[in-house]
Every structure is written in C-alpha cells, then in structure tokens.
Amino acid sequence: MSGLTYVSTRGAAPELGFADVLLAGLARDGGLYVPKQWPSITVEALERFATMRYAEVAVEVMWPFVEGSIEYDAFAAIVADSYATFEADEVVPLRDLGDNLWLAELFHGPTLAFKDIALQLVGRLFDHELTRRGEKVTIVGATSGDTGSAAIEALRERATAEVFILHPAGRVSDVQRRQMTTVDAPNVHNIAVEGTFDDCQDLVKALFADDSFRETRNLSAVNSINWARVMAQIVYYVTTTTRLGGGVGRPVAFSVPTGNFGNVFAGYGAQRMGTPISQFVVASNRNDILTQFLTTGTMTIGEVHPTLSPSMDIQVSSNLERLLFEIHGRDGSAIAEMMARFRSEGTVTVDTGRLDLLADHWSAGRVDDARTSETIARLYEQQGVLIDPHTAVGLAAAREARADASVPMVVLGTAHPAKFPAAVEASSGVHPQLPDRLADLFDREERLVTVANDYVAVRSLIENTLDTAR
Ligand SMILES: *Cc1c(COP(=O)(O)O)cnc(C)c1O
C-alpha cells in the first residue's frame, strides 16, 4: 500500500489504507481512524485556492488522504459529480451578516443539511470501491432525521448497496420523513419503528452484534465516525478561509453548531494542515456536555433533553475521541483507558496540562431554546435572512464567544430553514419556503413499512426484503 496510512485512536487496530478505512468505519479495537500524519497545504496553494472552484480545491485538499487507494482521474470525477448535485454554483456560498460575521451556507445539497457535503462524496466512494472489489453491502442505519435522508440520497440507485433506514414512527418531522420516504429507488427501504430514536439505535446495534446476520448479509454503515466524512468536511474550512482571508495567512474564526463533533474536528484538521484558523467556537444547545468539557476538563454523561435543534441533542460526541487523541500526544493506550473509564463511570477528567493545549484556539458556548428563537427573530428583523435553529445556536454562540472582532467570524449554516419550518415560523412569523426542486415534496407518494419495536420482526423484514431484492 503506497500513500498515507491510518491509525486507530485506541492504538490496537491494524494500520490501514484509505479504502479499507472507508469500508471499515469503526476500527477493530473500538477506536476511530485518523491519518498517521497530517498532510500540509502550502501558502502558495492557499493563495491559489482563493479563486478556484470548490470541486477543484476539494480534489487538491483531499488527494493526499486517498492517494494509493484510487486513481487520480477517477477521484477527480467522483468529486466533481458529488458537488454537481448542489444547487448553489459556489457549492458553499458565503453571506455577509454585518459586524464581520459571515454565514457559510452548507445546506444547498439534495437534502438541505450539511451532511450532504460528506455523504454525496462518501456514497460515491463506497460504490466505486465495492464495484472494484465485486462486493455488495447491506447498509443499516437509525436516524432521528437528517442523517437518514442524506444517506438515502447518497446511495439511491447504487447497485452495490441495499439501504435500510430505521426511524421512530411519528417522531420525525413531516419534511424529514418525506425526504426519506418519497425517494423512489429500488434499493431504498424505509422502516418506521413503533418506538423512539433510542429504540431504533438499539435495534441497529443488535443487528450489527448478530454475527451470522452481519456476515451473511455483509452489513455496513456510513455513520459519522467514518473518516471519509471528516475528510470531506475539511474542504469548506479551507475554501472559506482562503476567500475571506485572501489566502495570505490572515486568520478566520469559525462557530460550529456541534453534535457528534465531526464537523468541528474537520476544522481542526484544516488548521493542522496549515489553514490559518484562529478560533473555534463549539456551539451547543441545552445538551452542553461539550461546553462543560472545554471549560472544566470534565465530561459527565447526563440525560438527553429535546430542543429546537434536534440534530444536536446528543450526550456522547463520538468524534471528540479524535481530538483527545491529538492532545494526548497520540497515545492510543491512554485513550483506550479513558474511554473504558468514561463508559463504566459515566464521567472522565482530562489533565489541565492537556486542556491548556486547547486554550489558545478553542471556546464553547451554550445557547438555550429561548435564545435560539430570539436569534432567528433578530436576524430576520435586521437583515431579512432566515436561519434554522441549529445555525441560530452557532450565531448566538459566535456573538458571545468571539475573541477578536477584527477577525472574520464564520458561522456554519448546517441546515436550510425550510427543514425546520415549525421552529422558524414560531420564532420569526415567516414560513420558510422549500427550494423549487422540493416544492412538490408534500404531493409525492411515500413508501415505508411500519413495524413493531421487536428485534426478530425487524430482522425478518430486512431478510425478506433482501431475498426478494436479489
Ligand atoms: C448533524 C448536524 C449537526 C451536528 O454536526 P456534528 O458533525 O455531529 O457535530 C448540526 N446541525 C445539523 C443541522 C446537523 O444535521
């Protein structure tokens, strides 16, 4: 294997090349894969990027991560195809919000949430690698909304994957459900489980833990710990910084609405590669375990509270493990021990010396639902711009935590306002319109099967579907 290799954050899994990391997802020791070294982007390249097209920068930024696993021309074609599905010509447009605050609109992909940026690419990379190997997989995932539709759009009509997405019946919004169930593709199967999101996740875990099912059906996932998703997200930190900073080393700050920590960790990667980023604001809603961690060094699991920004209603941010690995000098056994302790005791504390390594660049902000609503209302009043509740958490935290008002502060817009119409309308009095290509979403036919919250019932449903599909 030539090219970059990847190591596990827990230090006890084999080093793999990109294609194997892509298909493996989680490492065999329970850790997450990270590149063995961070490639660097030269100042000359940063200057060139400022005027290049998004997909061209994407190829150049990601090439060192994939080299050795895929041919250059095939990779460039996949990247071009992935971002041609975006409605905005710039892929990630920047909007001036005044006061040196900027909105990076990451939501112009097929399902109107930033997850499309990673999954449009990852779906195509999966398909390419599985075709090369002559393999076919069964993708099984649970969703509370955004991830399911992004995964379905990324894998629809691919001959290499049958896709089963479980959602809690009656507990996802109408827009989110319809974005999944109106996809008319023979390999896409929506399962509405009579239970909660946690029940769906438990069912998926049980399917993966069922050795004979996992092996005979070649089970796989495209979840948020997959390295390839983080890699794809590095790109917009680079393009945004080079456009606002002129590519000549003038720094930019980012405020990131955070759940599983994948998005903001990609920003860390961009910074490690040489992108001049001076500050990360980790924005959380009422579920503020990350704010606690970054301010005190202690992380304690609590109950998940439902909020206006459901995609950030999370207590354990899996991708944080990648940052912990970096600040512990890449000591895999120390991380393995920490994670075992966190699992058994529900709490873990990092040495202040380690936490100090984050003091210069990292801050955090907690924004409750009332302030989220106010932020949506105020921005609409003052600028006529509608934002979704996740983005509003990012904007409120950015205003509060920014270190230097002379540095451009970019708020990552993680979802289109029309994806969360009820919260946006209640806050601003305006009903956000779906883009034209989704305007008939409520007239399209839905396809889903409802099933009891019962392991055997779900497994038989999937098996029967696979047997008739093949
Ligand atoms: C997934 C998601 C997030 C959280 O992103 P992470 O990478 O998990 O931190 C924030 N906002 C929206 C709209 C999302 O769909």
Side-chain angles (χ1 to χ4, degrees), residues 44 47 141 157 160 163 167 187 197 233 237 253 279 295 297 306 319 347 358 375-376 403 421 456:
E44 171 276 323
E47 271 170 43
E157 273 134 48
T160 48
V163 182
H167 72 262
N187 68 329
F197 172 58
Q233 294 172 189
Y237 286 91
Q279 190 187 7
T295 48
N319 280 290
T347 184
L358 301 175
T375 305
I376 295 172
V456 174

Side-chain angles (χ1 to χ4, degrees), residues 250-273:
R250 263 185 289 150
V252 170
F254 286 88
S255 179
V256 187
T258 299
N260 242 325
F261 211 78
N263 199 356
V264 72
F265 185 78
Y268 171 86
Q271 187 192 45
R272 284 294 301 266
M273 292 169 78

Side-chain angles (χ1 to χ4, degrees), residues 233-250:
Q233 294 172 189
I234 291 174
V235 177
Y236 50 76
Y237 286 91
V238 178
T239 58
T240 304
T241 304
T242 55
R243 275 168 62 195
L244 284 175
V248 287
R250 263 185 289 150

